[in-house]
Amino acid sequence: MRNLVFAANWKMHQAPADAAAFMRTFVGQYARQQDRRVLFFPSAVSLHVVVQAIKERADLEAGVQNIHWEDKGAFTGETSAPLARGAGARHVLIGHSERRHVFGETDEETGKKVAAALRAGLTPTICVGETLAQRERGETLAVVTRQLRAAVAGIDAGVLATTIVAYEPVWAIGTGKNATPADAGEVHSAIRAELRSLVGERGAAVPILYGGSVNRSNVDSLLAASEVGGVLVGGASLDAEQWLAIARSG
Ligand code: PEP
């Protein structure tokens, strides 16, 4: 059976009241499907609403969009992995392209965040992806491999096998341009090969999600591409009806 993952990244949207209305619609209409999990990454201020809404459902899980790599301390404005875990998060996005390209997060920092997430019992979704300039220079596979290796440096093979990877070409995020299934399949296959070289056969269990302008019209063709084990969705996950359609696809 497939083990698909559908992940909603709400970015800086959905205040607690909006998140509550969304979750009432979604939880009321979405029946559990054995071959998939649905993850929600709300803003940290709306996490409690999502955690409360899904507490009876093993197929629905919540996470945060970012953490600091230290467990505690004088870091005003930051959220640590133990704080997120204590608030009910089970997952965290690490190295999202907006963290890397808007906030200047480095490969080294993503590695420290992955380690912090795993220490606290959070499952990291490790985001990798090339810019348009890097794609045009033919550097896609080199960039993605470098980002993945840096994110998991020093992680035990057994633990690495419990993580999630998301391939999100930077030029496809929020732009309405998505990779073709063939382009996505090529990069996903390279990521799978890298995971196998890092952790052997256990690398086959790591879901590799595609992200970048996924919507209800293109999701089926992307899910059919080689090694695409789910989707990470921004804009189209903000509308409950569209997110319901996406989470039921594939
Ligand atoms: C994202 O935020 O991870 C993303 C893929 O956004 P969008 O679906 O809007 O391109």
Side-chain angles (χ1 to χ4, degrees), residues 9 11 96 98 168 172-174 211-214 232-235:
N9 174 15
K11 310 194 190 200
H96 188 277
E98 287 147 22
E168 298 205 301
I173 297 181
S213 297
V214 175
L232 175 54
V233 184

Side-chain angles (χ1 to χ4, degrees), residues 131-211:
T131 63
L132 185 57
Q134 288 166 332
R135 172 162 280 265
E136 286 172 349
R137 288 197 300 265
E139 295 171 3
T140 299
L141 299 186
V143 168
V144 164
T145 305
R146 188 202 74 222
Q147 291 173 337
L148 183 60
R149 284 188 191 155
V152 302
I155 304 295
D156 173 77
V159 177
L160 174 53
T162 67
T163 64
I164 298 172
V165 173
Y167 168 55
E168 298 205 301
V170 178
W171 48 270
I173 297 181
T175 59
K177 296 180 195 153
N178 59 285
T180 64
D183 287 340
E186 183 196 1
V187 182
H188 280 237
S189 298
I191 292 171
R192 179 69 70 210
E194 182 62 23
L195 287 168
R196 282 188 204 273
S197 86
L198 288 168
V199 298
E201 263 321 293
R202 282 180 288 189
V206 176
I208 308 173
L209 317 185
Y210 172 78

